[in-house]
Amino acid sequence: MKEYELVSGLETHVELSTKTKIFCSCTTQFGSEPNTHCCPICIGLPGTMPKLNRQAVRYAIKAGLATHCTINPIAKMDRKNYVYPDLPKAYQISQYDKPLCSNGYIELKNGRKIRILRIHIEEDAGKLVHERGDTFVDYNRGGVPLIEIVTEPDIRSIDEAIEYVEKLQLIMKYIGVSDVKMQEGSLRCDVNISVREKGSESFGTRTEIKNMNSFAFMQKAMEYEFERQVDLIENGEQVIQETRRFNTDTGETAPMRGKEDAHDYRYFREPDLVTIETSKEEIEEIRASLPELPEQKRQRYIETFGLSEVDADILIKYRKVAEFFDEAAKAVGNPKTVSNFIISQVFRTLPTDAEKEAFDVRITPQSLIELIGLLESKKINMNVAKSTLDKMLQTGKTPDQLIDKNDMGGVDANTLTAICQKVIETQSGAVQDYKNGKEAAFKALIGGVMKETRGKADPMQATEILKSLIG
Amino acid sequence: MMVTKEEILDIALLAKLSVEEDKLDELTKEMMNIIQFADTINAFDGEVQEFDNINSLSNVFREDEVLPSYPREEILKNVGGGENGYFPVKKRM
Ligand SMILES: [Zn+2]
């Protein structure tokens, strides 16, 4: 069999977290009673006039700048016509040939750049609810501002597709324009897929899978669609250009009914809205408001702080964690200690992704700085530091409140030698076992020393002394 | 530019209009007249601005401030009060 390559492009819809809808002053709040966030504008009553939300435009420009786009000095809105009950006006106000942003990219770990063709703003549709064969509409979501981010067909594997969406999601979170929650629908992907023989330069016929709202489904849908297209070609059949829907129960994609797919959008300029002109000054002002982006942070953590790539990736994945880390790292001798404490100890109390994301912990950067300060000035050893951190996480107290003054200062060599001698005498059985080659018995001796010193002893030093005493 | 009967039927389908067979010739002729007017405009030889910004207005914005929405009874008035707070969708053929 020949070898085939996946060729994919994504259209990602991201709901902007403005307070109000794109063309009216209704709230964008999620999860309220149906049709309670509506007005004549967002239910499309005749004679109403849309008024463009300035913040939606700013957020879209911000998203464009964060993904290396050019911001077009002149943009306009267009009507995209189609008849479906979730769209009360029978057209969606979107952007066709003059989008706000063009020609950006997101760079993947393997160095490949996924080019972004355009980012435009548009209004979201309402939500259809199907019940016992009947259909009902809730227009609360209708008119919520969206940006659609369209890539070139630059993606060559499912892993690349997922990495692209993860990167995009993280950037949007960092710049604060959306909460990009796939499960709540504030980030949704349409995936274009075609296949071709490896090494070929031409493109095959593509299909589009609509509305992927989880990474797991996206992975499965793309696997299925790739196999399906390869099978067709291997059997001498043709791939038909069509829109397909992923069935989450069967794990298969199936064509959408002809009628839904047969779109002729008849785009034309939205006559009720004027052009959007963006000055250079305004672009620079928005650029200056961008925070440090995930990719820049990652670089800095690796280059300036000497973190491993793996650790840097974990820290930047959660914006609040990265902020906490930055705050603590700047005031300690070795930032790696902060990263180790967060990743190995703090994260143990936050098992889920959502918990790490929220990062609702009882320690502050200041209390961690205090703890690491004690460790770095050798007032406490690593054992005491670790157990203190656990207590801090449980109680919200500071190291000062938790560490017994007797635990400070470690144990001097003479005292430690005396204690080791005492442990050897009281645990002669363990000493004998160790001498007979039972390595595990040595742990009991170290344990004895630690107990005697209330954890203050340096285990390395204790090991050395014990070994020299046993001979 | 010519307009065919098939195109008229296609436009009717997109606009969800039903066109009776005996009206088709007349409609095709009318549509052709409209389209030909566009030909007249296209024939204009001269400088055309890229943007048809007739009143040279741009950047009319609204600030992102929430105002109260309408009471749901008002919103659902045109669909007989709705069903359980929703707009019911009439089954299409
Ligand atoms: Zn509204």
Side-chain angles (χ1 to χ4, degrees), chain A residues 233-251:
Chain A
I233 294 166
E234 282 287 300
N235 291 321
E237 291 173 60
Q238 300 249 307
V239 175
I240 302 165
Q241 183 170 346
E242 62 189 356
T243 306
R244 299 175 71 88
R245 182 183 284 136
F246 179 63
N247 183 327
T248 52
D249 296 326
T250 62

Side-chain angles (χ1 to χ4, degrees), chain A residues 417-431 445 466:
Chain A
T417 309
I419 290 168
C420 287
Q421 189 61 53
K422 186 180 157 199
V423 168
I424 288 170
E425 281 158 19
T426 52
Q427 301 199 35
S428 53
V431 174
L445 299 175
L466 279 171

Side-chain angles (χ1 to χ4, degrees), chain A residues 19-22 24-26 34-35 38 51-54 98 133-137 269 275-277, chain B residues 16 50-53 58-59 61-67 69-70 72 75 83 85-87 89 91:
Chain A
K19 294 192 205 77
T20 64
K21 295 187 179 184
I22 185 166
C24 65
S25 304
C26 291
N35 297 306
C38 298
K51 295 183 198 75
L52 184 55
N53 184 339
R54 183 193 293 268
K98 297 277 173 188
D134 289 321
T135 302
F136 301 94
V137 202
R269 180 170 179 174
T275 50
I276 306 162
E277 287 185 47
Chain B
K16 310 280 171 217
E50 192 187 355
F51 274 97
D52 49 335
N53 223 349
S58 67
N59 294 354
F61 294 122
R62 172 177 60 77
E63 292 307 319
D64 189 25
E65 283 155 16
V66 179
L67 292 175
S69 295
Y70 274 50
R72 188 159 68 183
I75 291 297
E83 279 178 44
Y86 287 94
F87 283 84
V89 177
K91 280 217 180 75

Side-chain angles (χ1 to χ4, degrees), chain A residues 129-405:
Chain A
V129 180
H130 303 281
E131 209 172 294
R132 284 184 237 102
D134 289 321
T135 302
F136 301 94
V137 202
D138 170 10
Y139 288 118
N140 281 352
R141 204 185 63 189
V144 168
L146 294 178
I147 48 175
E148 182 175 334
I149 303 148
V150 183
T151 76
E152 299 279 4
D154 286 348
I155 292 163
R156 293 289 173 271
S157 71
I158 297 173
D159 285 346
E160 283 191 357
I162 287 173
E163 191 191 335
Y164 164 83
V165 180
E166 280 175 346
K167 288 234 151 95
L168 181 70
Q169 199 176 24
L170 197 57
I171 292 169
M172 296 304 140
K173 240 185 257 174
Y174 267 57
I175 64 175
V177 302
S178 172
D179 57 11
V180 280
K181 285 184 184 150
M182 268 184 139
Q183 69 280 11
E184 282 181 14
S186 55
L187 184 147
R188 327 189 270 274
C189 279
D190 299 341
V191 186
N192 288 302
I193 293 185
S194 63
V195 299
R196 66 180 176 195
E197 255 183 73
K198 250 204 170 126
S200 163
E201 288 292 311
S202 61
F203 292 111
T205 306
R206 65 165 204 268
T207 60
E208 182 180 9
I209 317 170
K210 283 272 183 199
N211 263 332
M212 304 276 84
N213 58 3
S214 92
F215 285 113
F217 290 157
M218 196 170 131
Q219 167 113 20
K220 281 189 192 140
M222 289 182 81
E223 276 167 8
Y224 179 86
E225 189 56 20
F226 178 73
E227 292 298 327
R228 190 187 71 86
Q229 292 189 15
V230 169
D231 281 351
L232 282 175
I233 294 166
E234 282 287 300
N235 291 321
E237 291 173 60
Q238 300 249 307
V239 175
I240 302 165
Q241 183 170 346
E242 62 189 356
T243 306
R244 299 175 71 88
R245 182 183 284 136
F246 179 63
N247 183 327
T248 52
D249 296 326
T250 62
E252 294 173 358
T253 66
M256 284 183 155
R257 279 177 293 124
K259 248 187 182 169
E260 286 175 58
D261 192 28
H263 284 325
D264 179 349
Y265 293 128
R266 293 156 293 147
Y267 279 101
F268 64 89
R269 180 170 179 174
E270 167 57 67
D272 291 341
L273 290 164
V274 300
T275 50
I276 306 162
E277 287 185 47
T278 312
S279 68
K280 281 199 180 109
E281 293 72 41
E282 203 172 347
I283 294 170
E284 289 319 310
E285 187 194 311
I286 295 172
R287 197 194 304 277
S289 77
L290 287 177
E292 186 182 34
L293 295 172
E295 205 49 43
Q296 299 165 326
K297 240 188 218 311
R298 183 176 182 274
Q299 278 312 94
R300 183 164 60 84
Y301 288 178
I302 294 168
E303 281 163 19
T304 319
F305 292 158
L307 299 193
S308 70
E309 289 189 11
V310 177
D311 287 355
D313 279 336
I314 296 172
L315 292 176
I316 63 157
K317 193 175 169 198
Y318 311 98
R319 185 182 169 178
K320 282 190 181 158
V321 174
E323 280 167 3
F324 186 102
F325 170 76
D326 273 330
E327 194 62 29
K330 65 185 182 197
V332 302
N334 186 0
K336 268 191 194 172
T337 315
V338 181
S339 135
N340 288 342
F341 276 148
I342 292 176
I343 294 170
S344 64
Q345 243 178 306
V346 183
F347 275 7
R348 213 181 303 137
T349 67
L350 307 166
T352 66
D353 238 19
E355 285 168 297
K356 291 186 187 81
E357 182 78 55
F359 205 63
D360 187 9
V361 288
R362 304 191 68 179
I363 57 167
T364 61
Q366 285 64 41
S367 64
L368 192 59
I369 291 166
E370 194 189 324
L371 181 74
I372 294 173
L374 294 171
L375 181 69
E376 289 181 338
S377 62
K378 296 213 157 52
K379 291 209 173 74
I380 56 172
N381 67 20
M382 189 52 95
N383 282 329
V384 176
K386 281 183 178 168
S387 64
T388 307
L389 180 54
D390 277 336
K391 284 180 215 148
M392 286 159 66
L393 286 162
Q394 283 163 22
T395 62
K397 289 184 179 163
T398 60
D400 182 52
Q401 293 167 311
L402 287 166
I403 300 174
D404 193 319
K405 293 289 173 280

Side-chain angles (χ1 to χ4, degrees), chain B:
Chain B
M1 187 193 263
M2 289 298 292
V3 177
T4 65
K5 285 183 193 176
E6 286 69 38
E7 281 168 330
I8 296 296
L9 288 171
D10 200 37
I11 292 165
L13 182 77
L14 289 166
K16 310 280 171 217
L17 296 171
S18 57
V19 174
E20 277 156 41
E21 193 61 41
D22 58 336
K23 292 268 171 65
L24 203 52
D25 279 324
E26 194 188 329
L27 279 169
T28 308
K29 209 188 281 171
E30 281 177 7
M31 185 61 88
M32 194 121 69
N33 280 336
I34 296 166
I35 299 287
Q36 272 163 1
F37 181 63
D39 284 344
T40 312
I41 296 169
N42 277 338
F44 171 71
D45 189 19
E47 209 167 299
V48 180
Q49 263 186 297
E50 192 187 355
F51 274 97
D52 49 335
N53 223 349
I54 35 170
N55 37 19
S56 59
L57 256 170
S58 67
N59 294 354
V60 177
F61 294 122
R62 172 177 60 77
E63 292 307 319
D64 189 25
E65 283 155 16
V66 179
L67 292 175
S69 295
Y70 274 50
R72 188 159 68 183
E73 310 86 77
E74 287 290 316
I75 291 297
L76 295 170
K77 227 177 192 172
N78 288 337
V79 286
E83 279 178 44
N84 299 320
Y86 287 94
F87 283 84
V89 177
K90 276 195 197 139
K91 280 217 180 75
R92 288 191 294 166
M93 299 301 284

